[in-house]
Amino acid sequence: MKKIISILLITISLFSFGQKKSKFAKGADISWLPQMEATGYQFYNEKGERDDALNILKSKGMDAIRLRVFVNPNDDRGSGHCSKDETIAFAKKLHKMGFRLMIDFHYSDSWADPNKQYKPKAWENLNFTDLKKAVYDHTYDVIAAMKKENITPEWVQIGNEIPNGILWPDGHSKNFKNLGELLNVGYNAVKAVDKKIKVIVHIDEGNNTEKITWFYKNVAEQKVKYDVIGLSYYPFWIKKDWTETIDDLQKNMNYLAKTYKKQIMIVEVGGEDYKVENTKNLLEATFKAVRNVPNKMGTGVFYWEPQGAKSWSGYGLSAWLENGQPSPALDAFKEN
């Protein structure tokens, strides 16, 4: 009898361990943080005491961090850095503090988003076959180097906000066959390092039904391999309030989960820093929508650069006050 009980306890323990990282992720992209610290920006907790930004974010209920990776970035504090070596150095600190990790490959030397998906300078003259190899090698190199340091990410994004594709012009979504091939070599590179890493395909405007329907239909038709659907949700950029768009976000996430049987994450969200109550309400509604995706297929919410105070970054959708303290809007992460 004791032997049977021991086996049951071991089985339960192993099951619990395996399920641990499947819990709902509450996090942020904070890729600016090393440069903020390097330039002397001071962070303060709710008591007005100087504190490490990571401690503050943890106190707000965050357990996961997303970091972007550029190929050969310059040293501009806002649009550069995020190289392989810098990302690994930062990831070590995050790992020691117990954060889960998401890596976001931009496949560019600087920002990539729907309006710009420029090739890294070193890849500009490659033919398509060699371009695919460059994507594979770069992806494998970064993730393998991280695994060697025992900081294997839980999720990896192949591209950042890619409704218009990546690595223009070759990988533009006007040529979805090419785009599909590029996404698949990125997927293969990640899985060659560790099959347990979840690969994300990410587009903007999660509330835009026409866009998400068209894009993921083409992804399916091109047999793109991935594990998680990643969406951005920024009512601000389409000049609407969250109250006007949240129902569409919910409908779209439910549709995606039902149609493609994939987990759904909001990998970027943000509201105006000075509209504290409105931003908190936006976050609460976003958490509710993601958690309401049927069959627990909604698995996380990430704020984009909450600590990236406007006084340092010029970015108005952070969640930080002028006095260097976190915005009360971030309490939504603790409460949801």
Side-chain angles (χ1 to χ4, degrees), residues 133-202:
K133 184 177 186 303
V135 169
Y136 184 98
D137 290 347
H138 171 62
T139 307
Y140 183 91
D141 183 46
V142 173
I143 303 304
M146 297 187 78
K147 186 169 186 178
K148 188 176 180 181
E149 298 288 343
N150 296 312
I151 46 174
T152 307
E154 189 170 344
W155 311 271
V156 170
Q157 278 189 218
I158 305 301
N160 183 73
E161 293 189 328
I162 62 169
N164 296 321
I166 62 175
L167 296 163
W168 292 345
D170 303 61
H172 198 288
S173 55
K174 289 178 181 177
N175 186 341
F176 225 105
K177 181 178 182 298
N178 277 8
L179 175 57
E181 290 184 27
L182 289 166
L183 295 177
N184 278 340
V185 296
Y187 174 96
N188 291 342
V190 172
K191 298 294 184 173
V193 178
D194 194 318
K195 292 181 180 179
K196 296 189 293 295
I197 298 172
K198 295 177 181 178
V199 172
I200 300 173
V201 173
H202 168 217

Side-chain angles (χ1 to χ4, degrees), residues 259-273:
T259 304
Y260 300 112
K261 307 296 188 293
K262 303 290 186 183
Q263 293 182 355
I264 314 286
M265 301 180 83
I266 299 298
V267 296
E268 293 187 27
V269 66
E272 293 175 88
D273 56 0

Side-chain angles (χ1 to χ4, degrees), residues 77-140:
R77 73 178 200 175
S79 60
H81 294 282
C82 301
S83 66
K84 167 191 163 184
D85 291 343
E86 290 169 313
T87 299
I88 292 172
F90 192 12
K92 286 181 181 179
K93 181 177 181 181
L94 296 169
H95 179 70
K96 287 179 181 177
M97 293 186 68
F99 284 103
R100 303 157 75 185
L101 188 64
M102 180 186 295
I103 296 297
D104 175 18
F105 282 97
H106 282 235
Y107 299 114
S108 184
D109 290 335
S110 188
W111 304 111
D113 58 43
N115 298 315
K116 51 187 181 299
Q117 293 283 342
Y118 304 134
K119 291 178 183 176
K121 188 170 182 58
W123 302 2
E124 286 178 348
N125 297 318
L126 298 179
N127 62 38
F128 189 61
T129 298
D130 289 341
L131 185 62
K132 288 192 292 183
K133 184 177 186 303
V135 169
Y136 184 98
D137 290 347
H138 171 62
T139 307
Y140 183 91

